[in-house]
mmCIF file of all heavy atoms in Angstrom:
data_model
loop_
_atom_site.group_PDB
_atom_site.id
_atom_site.type_symbol
_atom_site.label_atom_id
_atom_site.label_comp_id
_atom_site.label_asym_id
_atom_site.label_seq_id
_atom_site.Cartn_x
_atom_site.Cartn_y
_atom_site.Cartn_z
ATOM 1 N N ARG A 46 -80.992 30.187 -25.730
ATOM 2 C CA ARG A 46 -82.145 30.543 -24.926
ATOM 3 C C ARG A 46 -82.874 31.847 -25.538
ATOM 4 O O ARG A 46 -84.014 31.816 -25.356
ATOM 5 C CB ARG A 46 -81.517 30.832 -23.580
ATOM 6 C CG ARG A 46 -81.034 29.617 -22.699
ATOM 7 C CD ARG A 46 -80.932 29.857 -21.274
ATOM 8 N NE ARG A 46 -79.808 30.893 -21.068
ATOM 9 C CZ ARG A 46 -78.508 30.449 -20.926
ATOM 10 N NH1 ARG A 46 -78.252 29.152 -20.900
ATOM 11 N NH2 ARG A 46 -77.700 31.299 -20.732
ATOM 12 N N GLN A 47 -82.003 32.753 -26.040
ATOM 13 C CA GLN A 47 -82.771 33.964 -26.599
ATOM 14 C C GLN A 47 -83.587 33.686 -27.892
ATOM 15 O O GLN A 47 -84.698 34.324 -27.875
ATOM 16 C CB GLN A 47 -81.695 34.974 -26.855
ATOM 17 C CG GLN A 47 -82.185 36.346 -27.321
ATOM 18 C CD GLN A 47 -81.005 37.256 -27.880
ATOM 19 O OE1 GLN A 47 -79.908 37.011 -27.621
ATOM 20 N NE2 GLN A 47 -81.469 38.380 -28.363
ATOM 21 N N PHE A 48 -83.097 32.943 -28.677
ATOM 22 C CA PHE A 48 -83.856 32.773 -30.008
ATOM 23 C C PHE A 48 -84.634 31.413 -30.025
ATOM 24 O O PHE A 48 -84.009 30.424 -29.931
ATOM 25 C CB PHE A 48 -82.772 32.816 -31.110
ATOM 26 C CG PHE A 48 -82.109 33.977 -31.268
ATOM 27 C CD1 PHE A 48 -80.678 34.024 -31.439
ATOM 28 C CD2 PHE A 48 -82.784 35.254 -31.071
ATOM 29 C CE1 PHE A 48 -80.021 35.384 -31.757
ATOM 30 C CE2 PHE A 48 -82.061 36.556 -31.165
ATOM 31 C CZ PHE A 48 -80.781 36.521 -31.528
ATOM 32 N N ASN A 49 -85.882 31.452 -30.272
ATOM 33 C CA ASN A 49 -86.749 30.270 -30.478
ATOM 34 C C ASN A 49 -86.909 30.214 -31.953
ATOM 35 O O ASN A 49 -87.515 31.159 -32.478
ATOM 36 C CB ASN A 49 -88.062 30.360 -29.733
ATOM 37 C CG ASN A 49 -88.894 29.081 -29.924
ATOM 38 O OD1 ASN A 49 -88.680 28.306 -30.724
ATOM 39 N ND2 ASN A 49 -90.024 29.102 -29.167
ATOM 40 N N LEU A 50 -86.320 29.198 -32.570
ATOM 41 C CA LEU A 50 -86.251 29.126 -33.971
ATOM 42 C C LEU A 50 -87.382 28.422 -34.525
ATOM 43 O O LEU A 50 -87.517 28.266 -35.907
ATOM 44 C CB LEU A 50 -84.857 28.400 -34.377
ATOM 45 C CG LEU A 50 -83.608 29.106 -33.929
ATOM 46 C CD1 LEU A 50 -82.470 28.366 -34.514
ATOM 47 C CD2 LEU A 50 -83.584 30.558 -34.334
ATOM 48 N N ALA A 51 -88.371 27.891 -33.798
ATOM 49 C CA ALA A 51 -89.335 27.125 -34.285
ATOM 50 C C ALA A 51 -90.286 27.773 -35.287
ATOM 51 O O ALA A 51 -90.561 27.183 -36.388
ATOM 52 C CB ALA A 51 -90.426 26.726 -33.024
ATOM 53 N N PRO A 52 -90.597 29.042 -35.223
ATOM 54 C CA PRO A 52 -91.345 29.669 -36.253
ATOM 55 C C PRO A 52 -90.649 29.769 -37.555
ATOM 56 O O PRO A 52 -91.421 29.845 -38.607
ATOM 57 C CB PRO A 52 -91.595 31.069 -35.673
ATOM 58 C CG PRO A 52 -91.332 31.042 -34.159
ATOM 59 C CD PRO A 52 -90.353 30.018 -33.946
ATOM 60 N N LEU A 53 -89.371 29.603 -37.642
ATOM 61 C CA LEU A 53 -88.701 29.702 -38.957
ATOM 62 C C LEU A 53 -88.834 28.353 -39.650
ATOM 63 O O LEU A 53 -88.550 28.375 -40.965
ATOM 64 C CB LEU A 53 -87.139 29.947 -38.748
ATOM 65 C CG LEU A 53 -86.882 31.435 -38.024
ATOM 66 C CD1 LEU A 53 -85.427 31.464 -38.003
ATOM 67 C CD2 LEU A 53 -87.258 32.486 -39.026
ATOM 68 N N TRP A 54 -89.117 27.349 -38.944
ATOM 69 C CA TRP A 54 -89.362 26.049 -39.621
ATOM 70 C C TRP A 54 -90.752 25.551 -39.808
ATOM 71 O O TRP A 54 -91.082 24.642 -40.553
ATOM 72 C CB TRP A 54 -88.578 24.976 -38.874
ATOM 73 C CG TRP A 54 -87.154 25.166 -38.619
ATOM 74 C CD1 TRP A 54 -86.228 25.729 -39.477
ATOM 75 C CD2 TRP A 54 -86.428 24.774 -37.404
ATOM 76 N NE1 TRP A 54 -85.104 25.795 -38.832
ATOM 77 C CE2 TRP A 54 -85.146 25.400 -37.674
ATOM 78 C CE3 TRP A 54 -86.739 24.295 -36.217
ATOM 79 C CZ2 TRP A 54 -84.158 25.145 -36.628
ATOM 80 C CZ3 TRP A 54 -85.711 24.113 -35.245
ATOM 81 C CH2 TRP A 54 -84.467 24.506 -35.430
ATOM 82 N N HIS A 55 -91.639 26.237 -39.108
ATOM 83 C CA HIS A 55 -92.965 25.905 -39.014
ATOM 84 C C HIS A 55 -93.730 25.978 -40.373
ATOM 85 O O HIS A 55 -93.454 26.952 -41.174
ATOM 86 C CB HIS A 55 -93.672 26.637 -37.923
ATOM 87 C CG HIS A 55 -94.814 25.927 -37.213
ATOM 88 N ND1 HIS A 55 -96.078 26.028 -37.960
ATOM 89 C CD2 HIS A 55 -95.095 25.021 -36.260
ATOM 90 C CE1 HIS A 55 -97.047 25.314 -37.151
ATOM 91 N NE2 HIS A 55 -96.331 24.654 -36.190
ATOM 92 N N LEU A 56 -94.935 25.415 -40.500
ATOM 93 C CA LEU A 56 -95.746 25.557 -41.573
ATOM 94 C C LEU A 56 -96.026 27.006 -41.817
ATOM 95 O O LEU A 56 -96.547 27.711 -40.834
ATOM 96 C CB LEU A 56 -97.017 24.694 -41.399
ATOM 97 C CG LEU A 56 -98.164 24.762 -42.355
ATOM 98 C CD1 LEU A 56 -97.687 24.099 -43.623
ATOM 99 C CD2 LEU A 56 -99.361 24.062 -41.790
ATOM 100 N N HIS A 57 -95.969 27.539 -42.992
ATOM 101 C CA HIS A 57 -96.204 28.845 -43.269
ATOM 102 C C HIS A 57 -97.821 29.185 -43.085
ATOM 103 O O HIS A 57 -98.574 28.246 -43.454
ATOM 104 C CB HIS A 57 -95.881 29.320 -44.734
ATOM 105 C CG HIS A 57 -94.351 29.179 -44.915
ATOM 106 N ND1 HIS A 57 -93.503 30.163 -44.329
ATOM 107 C CD2 HIS A 57 -93.574 28.527 -45.755
ATOM 108 C CE1 HIS A 57 -92.249 29.924 -44.609
ATOM 109 N NE2 HIS A 57 -92.286 28.970 -45.509
ATOM 110 N N ALA A 58 -98.118 30.351 -42.660
ATOM 111 C CA ALA A 58 -99.502 30.689 -42.430
ATOM 112 C C ALA A 58 -100.099 31.376 -43.694
ATOM 113 O O ALA A 58 -101.271 31.529 -43.783
ATOM 114 C CB ALA A 58 -99.697 31.499 -41.277
ATOM 115 N N LYS A 59 -99.262 32.105 -44.447
ATOM 116 C CA LYS A 59 -99.674 32.877 -45.589
ATOM 117 C C LYS A 59 -100.024 31.885 -46.826
ATOM 118 O O LYS A 59 -99.179 31.141 -47.307
ATOM 119 C CB LYS A 59 -98.685 33.849 -45.990
ATOM 120 C CG LYS A 59 -98.312 34.833 -44.859
ATOM 121 C CD LYS A 59 -97.156 35.827 -45.316
ATOM 122 C CE LYS A 59 -96.763 36.758 -44.298
ATOM 123 N NZ LYS A 59 -95.774 37.697 -44.749
ATOM 124 N N LYS A 60 -101.427 32.111 -47.347
ATOM 125 C CA LYS A 60 -101.800 31.210 -48.384
ATOM 126 C C LYS A 60 -101.084 31.579 -49.654
ATOM 127 O O LYS A 60 -100.887 30.829 -50.606
ATOM 128 C CB LYS A 60 -103.210 31.584 -48.573
ATOM 129 C CG LYS A 60 -104.097 31.036 -47.577
ATOM 130 C CD LYS A 60 -104.152 29.549 -47.377
ATOM 131 C CE LYS A 60 -105.026 29.028 -46.259
ATOM 132 N NZ LYS A 60 -104.998 27.669 -46.128
ATOM 133 N N ALA A 61 -100.371 32.808 -49.750
ATOM 134 C CA ALA A 61 -99.748 33.159 -51.054
ATOM 135 C C ALA A 61 -98.334 32.483 -51.126
ATOM 136 O O ALA A 61 -97.826 32.598 -52.106
ATOM 137 C CB ALA A 61 -99.732 34.703 -51.031
ATOM 138 N N GLU A 62 -97.935 32.055 -50.074
ATOM 139 C CA GLU A 62 -96.539 31.476 -50.062
ATOM 140 C C GLU A 62 -96.641 29.923 -50.142
ATOM 141 O O GLU A 62 -97.595 29.327 -49.929
ATOM 142 C CB GLU A 62 -95.893 31.693 -48.733
ATOM 143 C CG GLU A 62 -95.578 33.347 -48.573
ATOM 144 C CD GLU A 62 -94.915 33.511 -47.278
ATOM 145 O OE1 GLU A 62 -94.701 32.587 -46.467
ATOM 146 O OE2 GLU A 62 -94.468 34.767 -46.993
ATOM 147 N N ALA A 63 -95.623 29.255 -50.471
ATOM 148 C CA ALA A 63 -95.464 27.754 -50.543
ATOM 149 C C ALA A 63 -95.734 27.314 -49.077
ATOM 150 O O ALA A 63 -94.989 27.890 -48.043
ATOM 151 C CB ALA A 63 -94.101 27.493 -50.966
ATOM 152 N N GLN A 64 -96.427 26.376 -49.040
ATOM 153 C CA GLN A 64 -96.882 25.880 -47.698
ATOM 154 C C GLN A 64 -95.853 24.908 -47.068
ATOM 155 O O GLN A 64 -95.923 24.655 -45.888
ATOM 156 C CB GLN A 64 -98.245 25.268 -47.782
ATOM 157 C CG GLN A 64 -99.415 26.311 -47.933
ATOM 158 C CD GLN A 64 -99.681 27.146 -46.804
ATOM 159 O OE1 GLN A 64 -100.343 26.714 -45.823
ATOM 160 N NE2 GLN A 64 -99.441 28.471 -46.859
ATOM 161 N N THR A 65 -95.064 24.312 -47.875
ATOM 162 C CA THR A 65 -94.114 23.314 -47.340
ATOM 163 C C THR A 65 -92.766 23.591 -47.727
ATOM 164 O O THR A 65 -92.413 24.457 -48.474
ATOM 165 C CB THR A 65 -94.507 21.989 -47.936
ATOM 166 O OG1 THR A 65 -94.132 21.885 -49.235
ATOM 167 C CG2 THR A 65 -95.966 21.568 -47.712
ATOM 168 N N MET A 66 -91.735 22.861 -47.117
ATOM 169 C CA MET A 66 -90.527 22.861 -47.610
ATOM 170 C C MET A 66 -90.180 21.935 -48.622
ATOM 171 O O MET A 66 -90.795 20.751 -48.542
ATOM 172 C CB MET A 66 -89.525 22.594 -46.429
ATOM 173 C CG MET A 66 -89.345 23.729 -45.442
ATOM 174 S SD MET A 66 -88.059 23.439 -44.212
ATOM 175 C CE MET A 66 -88.952 22.400 -43.088
#
Side-chain angles (χ1 to χ4, degrees):
R46 287 191 294 271
Q47 179 183 355
F48 298 137
N49 184 350
L50 304 183
L53 293 175
W54 303 322
H55 204 274
L56 179 67
H57 294 298
K59 298 179 182 178
K60 294 294 184 181
E62 296 180 356
Q64 294 282 293
T65 69
M66 286 187 280

